[in-house]
Amino acid sequence: MNRKEGYILIILMVAVFIMVIGFLIATPIWKTQIQREKEEELIFRGKQYAEAVRLFQIKYPGSFPKSFEELLEEKCLRKMFKDPMTEHGEWDVIIPYGGASGRREGATQKILVVPQSALSSVDNPRIIGVVSSSPDKSIKIYFDQETYDKWLFY
């Protein structure tokens, strides 16, 4: 090997080293950016379900949908959206807990969060919204909540 080839090899090794350092720096930034995009998608999709429940109540005052399929059939929801924060994509469903009638103005409503897969086992379910089933810590603070399973959309 002559000197010229030696210099080329050293320059090539330095270039590869710089590229590896660049990838090591960029990877956490990419992960953070991907998580931020998923959070925005979670907010968008959650609001779509909340809006679908609102539209259902306009069509049928005083009643709530019993399933997501009912929201689709009534054309309140254009498609079933998956939870972007979980692998399985299933939402937890928010339903009212206890009697909602006779509440005083300003009184807080109690809710129950049920996994989507267990909704069929609930007697007379009344869907008022959705929440992610992911307990992971978020980057964004949404209504003073720092985990996705506390971001309620209703």
Side-chain angles (χ1 to χ4, degrees):
M1 173 162 43
N2 62 27
R3 281 188 134 176
K4 187 176 180 182
E5 290 173 346
Y7 287 130
I8 292 174
L9 184 60
I10 290 173
I11 291 172
L12 185 61
M13 287 174 49
V14 168
V16 169
F17 178 74
I18 291 171
M19 286 176 32
V20 167
I21 295 296
F23 284 130
L24 288 174
I25 292 170
T27 300
I29 295 169
W30 283 333
K31 283 184 177 181
T32 301
Q33 184 60 31
I34 289 169
Q35 186 175 354
R36 286 182 190 273
E37 288 174 9
K38 282 184 173 182
E39 287 178 355
E40 289 302 318
E41 191 63 23
L42 174 67
I43 292 169
F44 171 78
R45 292 177 183 187
K47 286 181 176 181
Q48 291 297 303
Y49 279 102
E51 178 65 10
V53 170
R54 188 186 74 78
L55 291 173
F56 185 89
Q57 288 188 306
I58 289 173
K59 279 185 163 184
Y60 305 101
S63 63
F64 292 90
K66 295 180 180 1
S67 68
F68 292 146
E69 289 77 20
E70 191 173 5
L71 290 172
L72 279 173
E73 290 167 8
E74 295 299 325
K75 300 199 183 328
C76 298
L77 188 65
R78 74 185 154 98
K79 73 175 197 170
M80 298 280 273
F81 294 100
K82 292 184 175 185
D83 176 357
M85 305 317 286
T86 61
E87 292 285 325
H88 53 75
E90 283 195 358
W91 295 91
D92 283 349
V93 183
I94 303 170
I95 58 176
Y97 179 72
S101 60
R103 284 194 358 227
R104 292 174 295 158
E105 190 66 33
T108 58
Q109 178 181 7
K110 293 182 180 178
I111 60 168
L112 186 62
V113 176
V114 178
Q116 186 177 342
S117 59
L119 190 61
S120 60
S121 65
V122 175
D123 290 336
N124 191 24
R126 298 180 302 156
I127 297 174
I128 61 172
V130 296
V131 61
S132 177
S133 58
S134 172
D136 294 342
K137 186 167 173 40
S138 61
I139 294 174
K140 182 178 185 133
I141 307 298
Y142 187 76
F143 289 107
D144 295 327
Q145 300 301 319
E146 297 181 3
T147 59
Y148 303 120
D149 59 351
K150 301 283 191 265
W151 291 16
L152 305 177
F153 301 100
Y154 63 98

